[in-house]
Structures are given as C-alpha cells and as structure tokens.
Amino acid sequence: MSEPQLHVDDEPERRVGELLAAAARAGESIVLTGGSSVGHAYEHAASLEPDWSKASVWWGDERCVPPDDERSNYLLAKRTLLDHLADEPDVHRIRGELQPADAAGAYEKAIDGAELDFLLLGLGPDAHIASLFPGSPQLEEDERLVTSGPAGLEPFVERITLTLPALLSAKRIVFLVTGADKADAVRRGFREPVTPDAPASLLREGSVPIDVYLDASASGG
Ligand code: 6PG
C-alpha cells in the first residue's frame, strides 16, 4: 500500500511546475494530464526549463476530439507548454481524432514497454483520475494498458485512458489539486478507505510513491 503525501501550498501549480522542469532536465518520460488546474503548472515549467529535448511526454488520457479542438488535452499542453519550449521533447500524443478503439490500440502499441518516470494526474470532483470514472468497467481492466469508454463528467465525449495497471507502472505519481470543490474528493481519494467509488483511492493499492500538491481550499482546511 502507498500512503499519499499531502503538500498544502499557496501556489501548488508553481511547485508542480518546478517538479516538471526538473523531470524534463533529467530527461525523464513524463505523463501529462488534462483539466483546468494544470495549465499554470505547464507554463511555469516551460519558463523554468525551455530545453525539454532529453525528455519524452505522454498523456494519461485524452478526449476523443481532434488535436485542434478546445477540449483536447493535447491542445492544452501544446498551448501552455510545448509552444513555449526552445527544444521540444519526444511527443507521444493520443490520437483523439480516431475511432476510440483504434486510438486506444495505437496508443497501447506506442506506450507498451515505455518506462514512465513521472505521472502527473488531476483529481476530478468525483475523485476520478485520468478518464477512469467512479464505478466504470474500465476500472476493472487488468490486461490492457489503454482502454476507451464514456465520460462520467463534462465534456461528455468518449475518452481514451491509461488503465490502473498502466498508471501503477509509473515510478512516481504527482497530483495537482486546487479549489474547494475538490475537498470532498481529496478526502475520499486519499484519506478514506479504498473503493472503486473513488478511483483515486485505488492507486493506494500499488507501491508507487504518491505526492499530492494542493491548496488550502482543496485540503478542506
Ligand atoms: C481530463 C482529465 C481529468 C482531469 C481531472 C481534473 O481529461 O479531464 O485528465 O482526469 O485531470 O478531471 O480536472 P480539473 O483540473 O479540470 O478539475
């Protein structure tokens, strides 16, 4: 079992930006996330370290939309991180423009055998991680590394997501969580008993170190 370390900070986005910059400098393979909280962390990481040429970047999940769609997790990272770098990493995006099963198959082929050094995750208000939503059958996938399925929250487009075994193959997991609307999910995901009703809690069944960077509102005080 892994015991998540909670780091309450006034500016958790900056702390995570610093960690991302250090990982890029060290040439790590970094798994990025989507959502509304991470953009500032990406911008800060790019300003601290513009040379990502030794690193590779992957995504933990993607919405099934083209890469220039406003809902795309790739587009978020492109605008806030990749476009600001002097030297780009090796970029392995999930091809959300394909049919979900095809996109999942292609991404699984690409990521199979890759060592994932740094897995960045956001936390949904329902305690979902990547695109693994409470009670979804995708949570039970124990052979595939990548799967697809419906979204449990907005935007309601099909999702491609790493499975729990793939997430738990990472060497370290870093969460960025901000805002009072996440306080309940923080409690259910990191403090209360493990349950598929709070997918984040399932990560505690592995042995991967988990660091959660959060602001005071998300910590519930
Ligand atoms: C996505 C995600 C998702 C996200 C959380 C937190 O594609 O939406 O990767 O797992 O990280 O929902 O998102 P917010 O930061 O928007 O709350």
Side-chain angles (χ1 to χ4, degrees):
M1 290 287 281
S2 176
E3 185 61 38
Q5 301 298 307
L6 269 58
H7 309 267
V8 181
D9 196 288
D10 288 344
E11 297 182 304
E13 298 92 343
R14 290 177 80 84
R15 298 294 86 75
V16 169
E18 288 159 13
L19 295 175
L20 286 168
R25 209 171 289 131
E28 294 189 358
S29 54
I30 302 169
V31 184
L32 302 176
T33 186
S36 53
S37 312
V38 290
H40 293 305
Y42 292 160
E43 282 164 4
H44 191 50
S47 72
L48 292 173
E49 180 52 73
D51 179 359
W52 282 48
S53 57
K54 288 192 288 172
S56 52
V57 296
W58 303 83
W59 275 261
D61 72 323
E62 184 56 281
R63 291 92 180 263
C64 287
V65 294
D68 57 357
D69 186 290
E70 290 298 324
R71 295 164 293 181
S72 160
N73 287 343
Y74 166 77
L75 183 63
L76 170 77
K78 178 172 162 17
R79 279 187 180 152
T80 53
L81 174 69
L82 302 175
D83 284 352
H84 302 277
L85 300 176
D87 298 282
E88 280 216 4
D90 210 0
V91 175
H92 304 268
R93 77 170 176 87
I94 301 175
R95 297 178 63 197
E97 68 275 28
L98 302 180
Q99 286 301 313
D102 295 343
Y107 194 54
E108 171 136 352
K109 257 191 204 147
I111 207 167
D112 193 7
E115 284 202 350
L116 307 176
D117 297 308
F118 187 116
L119 169 63
L120 177 64
L121 289 173
L123 180 70
D126 57 354
H128 80 261
I129 45 168
S131 284
L132 295 171
F133 294 92
S136 94
Q138 280 78 35
L139 285 172
E140 275 149 43
E141 178 57 62
D142 58 3
E143 283 175 12
R144 303 276 311 269
L145 299 174
V146 184
T147 184
S148 58
L153 280 183
E154 285 193 353
F156 290 105
V157 287
E158 285 279 305
R159 309 294 186 95
I160 310 299
T161 184
L162 293 183
T163 59
L164 278 170
L167 297 174
L168 287 171
S169 75
K171 291 195 188 141
R172 71 181 295 199
I173 298 175
V174 172
F175 274 90
L176 174 59
V177 192
T178 58
D181 62 325
K182 301 291 174 68
D184 187 52
V186 166
R187 190 173 41 74
R188 294 173 57 230
F190 305 126
R191 297 195 178 118
E192 291 188 350
V194 172
T195 163
D197 292 336
S201 71
L202 299 173
L203 296 173
R204 287 151 51 196
E205 289 186 319
S207 54
V208 190
I210 302 172
D211 286 288
V212 183
Y213 289 82
L214 70 175
D215 59 15
S217 327
S219 80

